[in-house]
Amino acid sequence: MCLVVATTLNLVACKGATTDNGAVQKEFVYVPEYVKLEDVNWFNATCGTDEGFYYVNEEWDNHAGTYNNYICYLDGATGEVSRTALNLTEGLEEGSSANIQQMTVLSDGTIAVVVSNWVITNPETYDGVETYFLKLLSAQDGNVIAEADITADVSGDDMYTYVQYMAADKDDNIYIVSGDNQIFVFDKTCKLAFKIDTSMDSWIQAMGVSREGQVVYTSWDSVKGGNVINVIDPATRNVSKTCSNNVPEQNGNCTIVPGIESGIIMSSSKGLTEYDLNTETATEFLVWLDSDISGDNIDTVTVLADGR
């Protein structure tokens, strides 16, 4: 398992230089640096910050017959990895099997996670009951700061629910997207504050936060066609703006992270694009293939404080 850090390398001295066959040669390309992540058994639930990168590692315990969960942190400055063991089944009934589905980081460094817990009720058919918990964890020791059973909140009308996306705004409101196109917003006590019905949107494709601290999500405009970016205003508990101009194609594997100075950066299987939410303009940073990277293998993107 590797983490890719992009840097730049000048290739030609003059902008618009051409090759012998007349093709335009790029002024520079992004050259990846690779950091190998050791002892990763099952890479799950990722989240980047300005300072580093969090991910969840699950390790199977043959003796106990359960997974051990760890939150790992890669320091962007030093490249060092630390990990904290988690006890996700503490307080749950015997036979519980819990894993982290999504994760985000609040302004004070607290880690918010959605934990899925499965209990088999019929060993012959493997039928069972699934419950969901929102937990706030200390980044220092993994201890639970606050938690709540949110099963009734996020289950909706579906028999099976999967938390697809998770993000937090500048006020530490926690946004969760479930499989039935609903956005559930929780406060720092893990209490449901409000929800947004996005059933008129054609499937939420990605969700993230802007440099200004606003949570945004992308969807498909089923009337006009094309991708749109929706900005959520917690004060009105609804979408305050929909951007439809110059929205980059998702091309699968989309991630939304804060822009360098403002707006957002969108990562797709094609490349990285910065988008200004005020002017609705897009600036392409890079194409993954130009850096010999397969965009289909990109899991999460983050922008570090030093510009990487």
Side-chain angles (χ1 to χ4, degrees):
M1 186 65 64
C2 293
L3 177 77
V4 180
V5 181
T7 58
T8 62
L9 176 66
N10 287 323
L11 294 182
V12 296
C14 300
K15 186 176 182 179
T18 58
T19 61
D20 292 339
N21 63 7
V24 176
Q25 184 174 345
K26 289 181 178 293
E27 185 176 359
F28 61 85
V29 296
Y30 288 84
V31 179
E33 302 171 4
Y34 291 90
V35 179
K36 187 175 182 180
L37 303 179
E38 303 286 353
D39 301 323
V40 175
N41 180 267
W42 184 260
F43 192 73
N44 188 28
T46 58
C47 181
T49 71
D50 290 346
E51 307 299 332
F53 179 78
Y54 287 94
Y55 60 95
V56 173
N57 182 27
E58 296 181 355
E59 297 180 357
W60 178 255
D61 186 329
N62 284 321
H63 178 72
T66 59
Y67 279 101
N68 294 324
N69 289 266
Y70 301 87
I71 284 187
C72 304
Y73 176 70
L74 174 68
D75 189 302
T78 65
E80 296 181 355
V81 175
S82 59
R83 71 177 195 170
T84 303
L86 304 176
N87 186 358
L88 299 180
T89 59
E90 183 177 3
L92 301 179
E93 61 184 286
E94 185 177 353
S96 295
S97 177
N99 71 289
I100 294 176
Q101 286 196 348
Q102 293 294 337
M103 170 172 57
T104 192
V105 180
L106 306 187
S107 61
D108 62 358
T110 298
I111 302 171
V113 298
V114 172
V115 176
S116 167
N117 178 56
W118 180 263
V119 178
I120 296 177
T121 56
N122 188 331
E124 295 183 358
T125 63
Y126 290 97
D127 288 339
V129 176
E130 189 171 27
T131 53
Y132 292 88
F133 294 84
L134 174 60
K135 294 176 178 279
L136 303 187
L137 308 176
S138 166
Q140 284 71 41
D141 53 24
N143 287 338
V144 176
I145 299 171
E147 64 180 327
D149 185 336
I150 62 171
T151 308
D153 297 321
V154 302
S155 293
D157 297 327
D158 294 339
M159 180 178 178
Y160 299 103
T161 298
Y162 188 84
V163 175
Q164 294 175 298
Y165 307 110
M166 188 176 184
D169 65 21
K170 62 182 179 181
D171 297 318
D172 290 334
N173 296 304
I174 302 166
Y175 298 69
I176 294 173
V177 176
S178 68
D180 60 354
N181 254 28
Q182 300 284 328
I183 298 177
F184 303 91
V185 185
F186 296 83
D187 61 23
K188 283 194 69 173
T189 67
C190 300
K191 179 181 179 181
L192 180 65
F194 61 93
K195 65 179 181 178
I196 300 173
D197 183 0
T198 61
S199 58
M200 296 302 293
D201 296 321
S202 294
W203 204 255
I204 296 175
Q205 298 169 327
M207 186 171 71
V209 63
S210 70
R211 180 57 63 186
E212 294 79 8
Q214 300 167 296
V215 168
V216 305
Y217 69 92
T218 60
S219 59
W220 178 264
D221 188 330
S222 58
V223 178
K224 298 181 180 179
N227 294 304
V228 295
I229 301 172
N230 307 280
V231 183
I232 299 176
D233 179 10
T236 62
R237 300 187 172 189
N238 211 332
V239 172
S240 61
K241 181 179 182 179
T242 297
C243 303
S244 57
N245 297 313
N246 305 305
V247 176
E249 292 296 324
Q250 307 294 286
N251 295 313
N253 222 19
C254 184
T255 302
I256 299 174
V257 297
I260 296 176
E261 295 183 355
S262 63
I264 59 175
I265 288 178
M266 299 177 65
S267 170
S268 70
S269 58
K270 178 184 177 183
L272 287 179
T273 303
E274 187 167 38
Y275 191 85
D276 189 311
L277 297 169
N278 294 318
T279 63
E280 298 189 29
T281 53
T283 303
E284 185 178 79
F285 274 150
L286 63 83
V287 175
W288 293 121
L289 287 179
D290 289 342
S291 302
D292 294 326
I293 297 172
S294 171
D296 292 332
N297 294 330
I298 300 296
D299 188 279
T300 299
V301 170
T302 192
V303 178
L304 299 179
D306 62 7
R308 291 181 295 165

